[in-house]
Amino acid sequence: NQPLSDTATINSLPSKGTRAGNYLAFDANGDMVASAGTGADAALRTDLAASDGSSLVGHIASGTGAVARTVSDKFTEIVSVFDYWSDSEKADVTARTTSLDVTSGYLNALKALKTHGGILWHPPGEYLLGTSASANVIEIDNTWLQGVTIQGAGRGATKLKCNTKAHQFFNLNTPGGPWAWRDLSMEGIWVSADDLTYSGNSAIKATYGADYLLENCDIGYFGYGGVQTYNVDGFAAINNRIHHSGWEGFLFSIGSHNIRTAFNIFSENKWHYDINGYDVISTSDRFMKTRSVYQTWGVTIERNASTYDVYDITFNSPQFIDTGDVGFNVSSYDAAYPVSNIVVNNPIMNI
């Protein structure tokens, strides 16, 4: 029946042959037409193809209590670095040829998370970053970018290659957080095994801030080290491999505290684990071969200034395997300020 408020004549149905395999729809004049249901409306196709087209498409998760939202809203949860690169840059990454530096697009992808944080997704491939860096490659001021997870597709599957020796790879400064790195590899430029100098950069350097996480990552060949923290409140490292560092694999310094590490493997570093902070708990970390060109220690706990304390440090079930001269070293450069409350439970020693 025709609505009483609509006195316009409704046209007749399209013919049976026209209707076959199609849907009944209404055109812009309100007349019935046969539609294939695959975008016969040219204006709709244009709207969907626009940069904001995903805001016209609905999405709802399965299960009780799920709420409808747009695909655009769903997509903002994760940003992919591929969203900011040309086809040639993406092809270079996926082919692992590393002939194109992709730093500019990478930084733009990070900036997309500025207002709300979130996950920065790294599809499998090798990423060349920092070729022409005149400063730190990825410089983050935590006051404007917090709550970010650098997410890869797995150690070895996603590899970030830092193509500079003079500057930090990820440099985070000023109070803020949290930040996380998960399921990827980071590789620097190696100095030779016989070179007693270091190139000055680390994979991650964090100054201030809180609640950092490094999980299931491989970090190697950085001239200074894998991770440096200064005055950080909270850094967890779980199931990582840290190797071939010019100096420390991990350095927790200048009052860093609330440090938790577990099931990490350290090898071919000058020092695997250097602590100048407090409230540190290591569980089942494995300290293997150190670089033989140095006088080396698997772990060193040292106080080299009177302005901060070094105490409450516990190693549970550490393994020291072929670590060089000394597996475990505790020292203070000033007898008036000794380190205190150092506990080592159930060590396995084979230095």
Side-chain angles (χ1 to χ4, degrees), residues 26-31 33 41:
F26 294 93
D27 64 15
N29 295 319
D31 294 328
V33 295
D41 185 332

Side-chain angles (χ1 to χ4, degrees), residues 151-202:
Q151 179 68 54
R155 284 190 288 190
T158 299
K159 180 184 286 187
L160 308 183
K161 301 186 71 172
C162 179
N163 200 32
T164 176
K165 294 193 294 184
H167 307 288
Q168 309 296 342
F169 198 14
F170 283 88
N171 189 65
L172 293 89
N173 61 81
T174 71
W179 265 75
W181 296 261
R182 282 193 168 115
D183 304 312
L184 52 80
S185 298
M186 287 182 270
E187 182 178 292
I189 298 177
W190 180 230
V191 293
S192 72
D194 297 326
D195 190 350
L196 299 184
T197 63
Y198 61 94
S199 59
N201 68 338
S202 295

Side-chain angles (χ1 to χ4, degrees), residues 121-339:
W121 168 243
H122 299 64
E126 293 193 16
Y127 302 66
L128 185 66
L129 299 159
T131 300
S132 58
S134 58
N136 297 318
V137 179
I138 302 167
E139 180 76 27
I140 303 299
D141 182 336
N142 279 332
T143 60
W144 66 265
L145 187 57
Q146 301 180 25
V148 173
T149 295
I150 304 298
Q151 179 68 54
R155 284 190 288 190
T158 299
K159 180 184 286 187
L160 308 183
K161 301 186 71 172
C162 179
N163 200 32
T164 176
K165 294 193 294 184
H167 307 288
Q168 309 296 342
F169 198 14
F170 283 88
N171 189 65
L172 293 89
N173 61 81
T174 71
W179 265 75
W181 296 261
R182 282 193 168 115
D183 304 312
L184 52 80
S185 298
M186 287 182 270
E187 182 178 292
I189 298 177
W190 180 230
V191 293
S192 72
D194 297 326
D195 190 350
L196 299 184
T197 63
Y198 61 94
S199 59
N201 68 338
S202 295
I204 299 169
K205 181 181 178 182
T207 306
Y208 301 106
D211 300 327
Y212 296 97
L213 172 65
L214 181 71
E215 184 174 18
N216 196 32
C217 292
D218 185 293
I219 298 179
Y221 303 101
F222 282 88
Y224 192 96
V227 174
Q228 299 180 60
T229 72
Y230 299 90
N231 231 337
V232 160
D233 178 7
F235 195 107
I238 305 168
N239 194 36
N240 303 288
R241 179 174 177 248
I242 312 297
H243 57 98
H244 293 92
S245 299
W247 279 47
E248 294 98 349
F250 283 172
L251 169 63
F252 301 118
S253 189
I254 315 298
S256 290
H257 58 284
N258 190 19
I259 307 299
R260 302 293 183 266
T261 68
F263 305 105
N264 301 287
I265 298 176
F266 300 83
S267 65
E268 298 288 348
N269 306 298
K270 177 187 176 184
W271 302 330
H272 292 322
Y273 203 111
D274 192 349
I275 303 169
N276 306 142
Y278 62 95
D279 186 15
V280 178
I281 300 176
S282 163
T283 301
S284 298
D285 286 323
R286 181 180 296 181
F287 306 98
M288 302 181 70
K289 184 179 180 181
T290 50
R291 294 181 63 193
S292 60
V293 294
Y294 296 100
Q295 179 183 4
T296 55
W297 304 293
V299 173
T300 181
I301 302 171
E302 57 181 340
R303 179 169 185 165
N304 52 22
S306 61
T307 56
Y308 58 92
D309 294 323
V310 179
Y311 61 94
D312 288 351
I313 298 169
T314 302
F315 282 80
N316 295 313
S317 303
Q319 298 182 47
F320 298 92
I321 302 172
D322 193 23
T323 54
D325 299 315
V326 179
F328 204 95
N329 174 68
V330 180
S331 63
S332 177
Y333 294 112
D334 188 337
Y337 301 96
V339 300

